[in-house]
Amino acid sequence: MPLNFVRIALPFAAALLAAAPAHAAAPSSPEQALEAYVSGLRTGRVEALQKLFLPDGQFCTLSDDGDTGVGCRRFAEVLGSWAARPDPAATGRVLDRRDATPSMSAVTYELTFGGDRYIDQLLLYRTAAGWRVVAKTTAVQ
């Protein structure tokens, strides 16, 4: 009886795929990207945040007194500090989403993290790696 390579190859390929390490799928929407954001804050996994936030993107805050201006830092400079204090109870929700183009979205986001409530304005771009945050401003409520 001749060997049927298709009958042998298919189960072998399926076994290899099942044994392969699972990789998180790229976020397919801004909402899915922001779910990954909160998940990274809950677990303290800086790698999850690094996949979402563009390293050279900007994180800006208004000074506490409101008079000294806006301070901005690169995401690469701040993500480690965010991950260093994981909050398993962190939650987030989209308050508003405005799509300027099919590949650019502005999101107003409410984040509860570390006992504080933040209102974030996030600018996301769709890239080959999925939706990425390129800018974030925040206010503590």
Side-chain angles (χ1 to χ4, degrees):
M1 179 158 130
L3 287 176
N4 183 334
F5 287 104
V6 173
R7 286 186 65 187
I8 294 171
L10 289 177
F12 182 71
L16 285 176
L17 289 173
H23 295 286
S28 62
S29 70
E31 290 83 2
Q32 191 178 51
L34 296 174
E35 287 174 18
Y37 169 34
V38 173
S39 178
L41 294 175
R42 283 184 193 129
T43 62
R45 291 192 57 238
V46 72
E47 304 84 15
L49 297 173
Q50 289 169 332
K51 288 180 183 178
L52 177 62
F53 289 87
L54 194 69
D56 287 331
Q58 294 291 299
F59 170 57
C60 299
T61 58
L62 188 62
S63 65
D64 289 336
D65 61 18
D67 291 333
T68 58
V70 175
C72 295
R73 297 175 66 191
R74 294 173 52 238
F75 286 129
E77 297 171 25
V78 298
L79 294 180
S81 66
W82 297 354
R85 52 186 190 110
D87 178 3
T91 61
R93 69 184 179 112
V94 172
L95 299 176
D96 187 48
R97 175 180 165 186
R98 306 287 170 123
D99 296 335
T101 72
S103 296
M104 183 172 68
S105 186
V107 175
T108 303
Y109 196 69
E110 180 183 56
L111 173 69
T112 304
F113 173 69
D116 291 316
R117 182 175 161 259
Y118 301 89
I119 301 298
D120 295 339
Q121 292 289 323
L122 300 131
L123 181 60
L124 296 95
Y125 284 131
R126 183 174 34 205
T127 70
W131 286 89
R132 306 278 313 265
V133 177
V134 298
K136 172 184 171 182
T137 60
T138 193
V140 180
Q141 298 289 298

